[in-house]
Amino acid sequence: MGKKVKWSWTSAFVGAASATAVATLLSARPKDPTFHLVSIKLTAFKLNLPHVDAELILTVHVTNPNIAPIHYGSTAMSIFYEGTLLGAAQVKAGSQRARSCQVLKLPTRLDGVELAHHAGKFFADVAKREMVLDAKVDIGGQAKVLWWGHRFKVHVDSHITVDPVFLDVIDQENRSQLEIFLAS
């Protein structure tokens, strides 16, 4: 009971360095990015006889919560109505700084022919001022940590309720899943 423990600065330094290393590793663990549809703006109707296509701009807020900046390639986000492909939004190649937010403006075209196949449901949605759309996209790119570059893919599923008259976003649920490829 009377044994005296000798305290040393070396032990304290090793303990502090170990705790710092563990905290750094935990904060560096890759996290899923977040996506949030801010607004929808109708820009044009394109006459595609005998139908009319709608052109829109989707404004999307994207957050990269990771410690690494990213570079991503161009892709298309598929937009579905009642399970049918209604159109696509173009995502241009770009980059985003580490732990940052940015706003993307995505040019979108919706197919009037496909919407006409669901005319009864569409007019019912217009009457109740709620239209449910689903969107899916896979975004691939590269994240570079120090001198190591790692390829990644983010899969995003969105379930969005909009007002089809004023194009207001009423509600949305966005899920993203990050997959990192460690081998080249």
Side-chain angles (χ1 to χ4, degrees):
M1 178 151 129
K3 188 172 184 183
K4 193 171 185 178
V5 177
K6 187 174 181 183
W7 189 84
S8 76
W9 281 103
T10 305
S11 297
F13 179 73
V14 168
S18 298
T20 302
V22 168
T24 301
L25 284 174
L26 289 176
S27 71
R29 182 180 61 81
K31 299 166 191 72
D32 292 338
T34 59
F35 299 85
H36 181 80
L37 180 62
V38 177
S39 67
I40 303 169
K41 180 181 175 187
L42 178 66
T43 57
F45 286 111
K46 293 290 182 180
L47 190 57
N48 187 14
L49 291 174
H51 302 282
V52 177
D53 292 340
E55 290 190 353
L56 310 165
I57 297 290
L58 304 181
T59 304
V60 179
H61 181 264
V62 182
T63 303
N64 175 14
N66 296 298
I67 64 168
I70 60 169
H71 301 280
Y72 53 89
S74 61
T75 188
M77 176 175 59
S78 300
I79 301 170
F80 299 91
Y81 178 63
E82 291 293 306
T84 303
L85 181 63
L86 184 60
Q90 301 305 312
V91 180
K92 294 180 182 174
S95 62
Q96 187 168 350
R97 294 187 328 264
R99 293 188 176 153
S100 68
C101 300
Q102 73 180 34
V103 175
L104 301 177
K105 303 252 185 216
L106 308 178
T108 306
R109 179 172 248 173
L110 301 181
D111 187 354
V113 174
E114 291 302 326
L115 191 57
H117 290 148
H118 300 284
K121 173 72 172 136
F122 175 70
F123 288 121
D125 287 349
V126 169
K128 69 179 181 179
R129 307 257 320 255
E130 276 191 13
M131 180 178 181
V132 177
L133 299 171
D134 292 304
K136 296 182 184 304
V137 65
D138 287 317
I139 303 169
Q142 184 173 17
K144 192 168 188 176
V145 179
L146 299 175
W147 53 86
W148 292 298
H150 296 289
R151 290 184 314 112
F152 69 86
K153 180 178 85 170
V154 177
H155 178 78
V156 182
D157 284 315
S158 298
H159 184 77
I160 303 165
T161 305
V162 299
D163 177 345
V165 176
F166 293 111
L167 300 178
D168 293 329
V169 179
I170 298 169
D171 190 29
Q172 62 184 298
E173 179 184 341
N174 302 299
R175 290 183 309 273
S176 63
Q177 183 176 1
L178 174 66
E179 183 179 357
I180 297 178
F181 305 104
L182 297 178
S184 310

